[in-house]
């Protein structure tokens, strides 16, 4: 089973990329105690429900969509978002038995506004994978959260199987968001994923990070300034189909 969802570390990342050898439809449903994204929470530290549907073609092309409940702690604003949708399309290439690459476009679509602003935006990804042990990715947006500034993210993830059903993994990342979210973020995670059946897995993961400086000026009315997640443990369970 292959599930495409780079929004979660742990289980979803491990199952995360469609095969370039066979056409394949897959889906997953996840319950998580927090929707942590690049060092900050998109669910205000509260549980979230998530869905991913993916179809990979023999050519290496793939399409899909990810959806999650969100909470940006902007209850005082009208027409606030309570869900996020991320349709995506990409191309995966198997260079050798050890190396594979993929490039991807994603659109972030919110059901309402965030702190009173429309914030739908595009992001573009480049991924490199060495076997199932090491992955690195670079992504950028030309107009992050529609705040008229570019944003960038750099991330590396390592994984090590302890047994056939238990795997350790960790991620280190840097998100350049100062012009968009007031801060740049340095973040890291470590955790264990247990696949107790072929289609069901549980992930327990520690998250922490640092706010790297702050932007003195900000766009008038844009009050979304999430602080970095510090010393938090997240639990998630995923069922794949």
């Amino acid at each position: 089973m292959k599930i495409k969802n780079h929004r979660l570390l742990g289980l979803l990342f491990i199952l995360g990329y469609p095969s370039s050898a066979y056409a394949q439809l897959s889906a997953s449903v996840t319950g998580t105690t927090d929707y942590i994204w690049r060092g900050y929470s998109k669910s205000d530290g509260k549980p979230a429900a998530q869905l991913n549907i993916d179809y990979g073609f023999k050519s290496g092309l793939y399409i899909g969509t990810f959806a999650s409940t969100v909470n940006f702690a902007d209850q005082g604003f009208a027409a606030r978002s309570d869900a996020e949708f991320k349709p995506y399309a990409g191309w995966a290439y198997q260079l050798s038995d050890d190396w594979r690459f993929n490039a991807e476009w994603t659109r972030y679509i919110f059901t309402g506004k965030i702190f009173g602003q429309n914030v739908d935006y595009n992001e573009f990804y480049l991924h490199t994978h060495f076997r199932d042990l090491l992955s690195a990715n670079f992504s950028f947006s030309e107009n992050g959260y529609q705040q008229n500034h570019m944003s960038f993210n750099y991330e590396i993830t390592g994984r090590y199987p302890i047994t056939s059903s238990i795997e350790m993994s960790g991620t280190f990342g840097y998100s350049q968001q100062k012009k968009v979210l007031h801060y740049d973020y340095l973040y890291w995670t470590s955790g264990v994923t247990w696949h107790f059946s072929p289609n069901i897995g549980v992930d327990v993961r520690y998250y922490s990070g640092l706010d790297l400086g702050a932007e003195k000026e900000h766009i008038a009315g844009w009050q979304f300034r999430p602080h970095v997640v510090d010393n938090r443990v997240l639990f998630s369970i995923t069922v794949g189909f």
Side-chain angles (χ1 to χ4, degrees):
M1 180 186 66
K2 302 283 185 179
I3 299 174
K4 173 66 181 71
N5 183 355
H6 50 266
R7 318 301 182 221
L8 295 176
L9 298 169
L11 178 70
L12 294 187
F13 194 98
I14 293 165
L15 300 178
Y17 295 93
S19 169
S20 60
Y22 303 98
Q24 189 174 50
L25 176 66
S26 60
S28 66
V29 177
T30 296
T32 178
T33 55
D34 197 350
Y35 179 11
I36 297 177
W37 175 247
R38 295 178 182 171
Y40 61 91
S41 176
K42 284 188 171 183
S43 60
D44 194 28
K46 299 177 177 63
Q50 301 174 333
L51 169 70
N52 198 91
I53 300 173
D54 181 276
Y55 189 84
F57 298 88
K58 294 180 180 179
S59 63
L61 295 174
Y62 59 89
I63 58 175
T65 189
F66 168 83
S68 178
T69 57
V70 295
N71 184 345
F72 294 101
D74 54 351
Q75 286 83 354
F77 290 80
R80 55 190 295 267
S81 295
D82 56 12
E84 170 189 83
F85 296 90
K86 300 177 185 177
Y88 57 83
W91 178 68
Y93 178 69
Q94 189 82 30
L95 181 64
S96 66
D97 291 339
D98 292 336
W99 291 94
R100 65 186 189 274
F101 304 88
N102 60 297
E104 182 182 309
W105 161 85
T106 295
R107 177 72 176 175
Y108 292 73
I109 301 172
F110 299 91
T111 55
K113 299 180 180 181
I114 299 177
F115 287 93
Q117 294 196 17
N118 294 311
V119 295
D120 298 353
Y121 67 98
N122 299 308
E123 194 164 55
F124 304 90
Y125 293 80
L126 293 173
H127 302 268
T128 303
H129 314 279
F130 176 69
R131 298 179 182 172
D132 290 324
L133 300 177
L134 189 67
S135 299
N137 73 69
F138 165 73
S139 62
F140 73 93
S141 173
E142 82 288 1
N143 187 13
Y145 285 104
Q146 287 195 40
Q147 297 306 301
N148 302 311
H149 292 287
M150 295 188 72
S151 59
F152 303 88
N153 193 76
Y154 315 85
E155 190 174 278
I156 185 167
T157 294
R159 297 173 293 279
Y160 185 78
I162 301 173
T163 69
S164 60
S165 61
I166 299 175
E167 185 168 73
M168 296 180 61
S169 59
T171 291
F172 185 81
Y174 173 56
S175 184
Q176 289 184 278
Q177 297 274 357
K178 186 182 292 187
K179 294 289 186 179
V180 175
L181 298 180
H182 194 64
Y183 300 104
D184 288 338
Y185 300 89
L186 189 69
Y187 60 93
W188 54 90
T189 80
S190 60
V192 177
T193 306
W194 176 34
H195 304 271
F196 59 88
S197 80
N199 294 337
I200 302 175
V202 173
D203 187 75
V204 181
R205 192 155 302 275
Y206 168 79
Y207 286 78
S208 192
L210 293 172
D211 294 327
L212 299 181
E215 178 65 24
K216 294 181 179 179
E217 298 180 1
H218 64 280
I219 298 174
W222 178 241
Q223 299 179 33
F224 184 38
R225 300 183 183 183
H227 290 283
V228 73
V229 170
D230 187 20
N231 301 321
R232 186 174 302 177
V233 176
L234 182 148
F235 298 86
S236 62
I237 181 168
T238 295
V239 179
F241 304 94

